[in-house]
Amino acid sequence: MTTSVVTPPASGHQPGAGGRGTPAAHVARRKKLFWPFVAPTLVLYGLFLVVPTLATVVLSFSNWRGAGDTPQFTGFTQYAQMFSDDGFQNAFVNTLIYITLGGVGTFVLAFLFTMVLRDMRGNKMVRAILFFPNIVAPVALGMFFGVVYRYQPNRQGLANYLLESVGLSAVKFLEADSVTWVVLGSIIWASAGFYITILMAAVDRIPPYLYEDASIAGASPWQKFRNITLPLTWDVVGIAGVLWTINAIKIFELVFVMAGSGTYAPPIHTWTLGIFVFDRSFGGTPAYGAACACAVVMIVLVSVFVVALRRLLRRDAIQF
């Protein structure tokens, strides 16, 4: 009787054991690819954002008139002079008006349209029409509103033409006392479509059965908005508020064209912080130290508003 001896196979390399197909090897390869992809972005970010921002902060403590002149360190002199300047005070107040009142007006209009458009047929076409002003350049919008609100004896704008056609007197919309409020209304009209589009995109994510159940329960449109739409789009509302703050603090072209049509710069009482920076940089003798100081104030202001908004609008996420 022959006894067969079974020889065990030689211990060799097991497929996938410590090889290229293991999760650990995959993670290692991803780590090797991380810096080659991220490094160019970080270089560009540092070169075009971090470095100019730091240079702006440094120059805000100096007196500098540009090329051919050596910056002279003056400490907080630029800030002290700027805060006592009438132009900066007007610009600061007007910028706060555009951020706060403009934001309230824009979002009230956006919420109203959100309530109406949700159940409207052809709402996508209406959204596209409302979004259209955001495609047009602000300078072109400013020229358009300048024609609409024009006050001339023989060449009245559209607004005054309509007023006179119903027996009312023409109004000097773009005069000193009213131009800021006219610009504010124009900004709300031009900006609302963008935020309507954002909010409607968030509303589209909400399951329709929630509104159907609310309708069966007899809820009014306001109750549906308050109890369904707003809570389930709250995170998007917060992001939209941050976007508005950043855009509002940079308002420049619309004010410049509407309030200062035909002049080098608009009247001082209509300035925004962006126009103050422009005037100190390119108006007469350059004062880049003052311009940089105002730019630093803009950075601080937008940071304060953004942090405050994020804390104010912080809510627990609702799963649906």
Side-chain angles (χ1 to χ4, degrees):
M1 181 176 179
T2 305
T3 304
S4 60
V5 179
V6 179
T7 306
S11 59
H13 178 72
Q14 298 292 329
R20 297 175 58 87
T22 61
H26 180 65
V27 171
R29 288 198 302 272
R30 289 185 61 184
K31 287 182 178 179
K32 290 180 180 179
L33 292 174
F34 178 78
W35 285 112
F37 280 99
V38 174
T41 304
L42 293 178
V43 170
L44 293 175
Y45 183 83
L47 187 62
F48 293 105
L49 184 65
V50 176
V51 172
T53 301
L54 294 177
T56 299
V57 174
V58 172
L59 289 175
S60 69
F61 295 101
S62 67
N63 183 16
W64 186 44
R65 287 182 283 184
D69 185 33
T70 303
Q72 299 176 353
F73 180 77
T74 57
F76 289 93
T77 302
Q78 297 294 341
Y79 289 93
Q81 293 177 352
M82 180 183 66
F83 284 117
S84 62
D85 187 274
D86 291 339
F88 175 81
Q89 293 173 4
N90 285 308
F92 189 82
V93 172
N94 289 335
T95 301
L96 289 180
I97 290 174
Y98 291 134
I99 293 175
T100 55
L101 297 184
V104 171
T106 299
F107 280 93
V108 167
L109 194 61
F111 286 140
L112 289 175
F113 271 97
T114 299
M115 294 172 62
V116 173
L117 290 177
R118 192 185 60 80
D119 296 322
M120 178 186 291
R121 290 185 177 181
N123 59 35
K124 296 187 183 300
M125 180 180 296
V126 176
R127 284 191 229 178
I129 295 173
L130 293 173
F131 187 79
F132 178 76
N134 293 274
I135 304 174
V136 182
V139 173
L141 284 176
M143 296 176 65
F144 167 74
F145 285 121
V147 173
V148 170
Y149 296 119
R150 182 172 55 201
Y151 178 88
Q152 292 180 2
N154 299 322
R155 297 179 59 194
Q156 297 288 17
L158 178 61
N160 281 320
Y161 173 80
L162 294 175
L163 290 175
E164 291 179 342
S165 65
V166 296
L168 300 176
S169 301
V171 179
K172 296 181 179 180
F173 289 103
L174 300 180
E175 288 297 311
D177 296 334
S178 58
V179 64
T180 298
W181 305 107
V182 173
V183 172
L184 178 63
S186 303
I187 290 172
I188 293 173
W189 176 87
S191 304
F194 177 75
Y195 298 97
I196 291 171
T197 303
I198 292 178
L199 294 178
M200 284 304 301
V203 170
D204 289 342
R205 301 183 308 166
I206 301 175
Y209 68 82
L210 295 177
Y211 292 104
E212 295 170 1
D213 292 344
S215 298
I216 294 173
S220 65
W222 165 249
Q223 290 173 328
K224 293 178 184 177
F225 174 78
R226 187 185 64 181
N227 297 306
I228 299 176
T229 304
L230 191 58
L232 296 183
T233 59
W234 195 255
D235 55 339
V236 178
V237 172
I239 295 173
V242 171
L243 291 176
W244 166 261
T245 303
I246 296 172
N247 291 328
I249 207 168
K250 299 186 297 182
I251 289 174
F252 175 82
E253 300 97 328
L254 204 58
V255 179
F256 194 92
V257 174
M258 290 182 65
S261 179
T263 62
Y264 169 75
I268 192 172
H269 62 272
T270 64
W271 283 10
T272 62
L273 292 178
I275 295 177
F276 182 88
V277 173
F278 172 84
D279 180 78
R280 291 299 183 268
S281 300
F282 305 104
T285 303
Y288 291 115
C292 290
C294 184
V296 171
V297 171
M298 293 173 68
I299 294 173
V300 173
L301 187 62
V302 74
S303 301
V304 170
F305 268 97
V306 168
V307 172
L309 275 174
R310 297 303 294 170
R311 288 186 176 274
L312 181 65
L313 299 177
R314 182 183 298 171
R315 296 288 189 278
D316 293 333
I318 300 178
Q319 301 296 330
F320 59 92

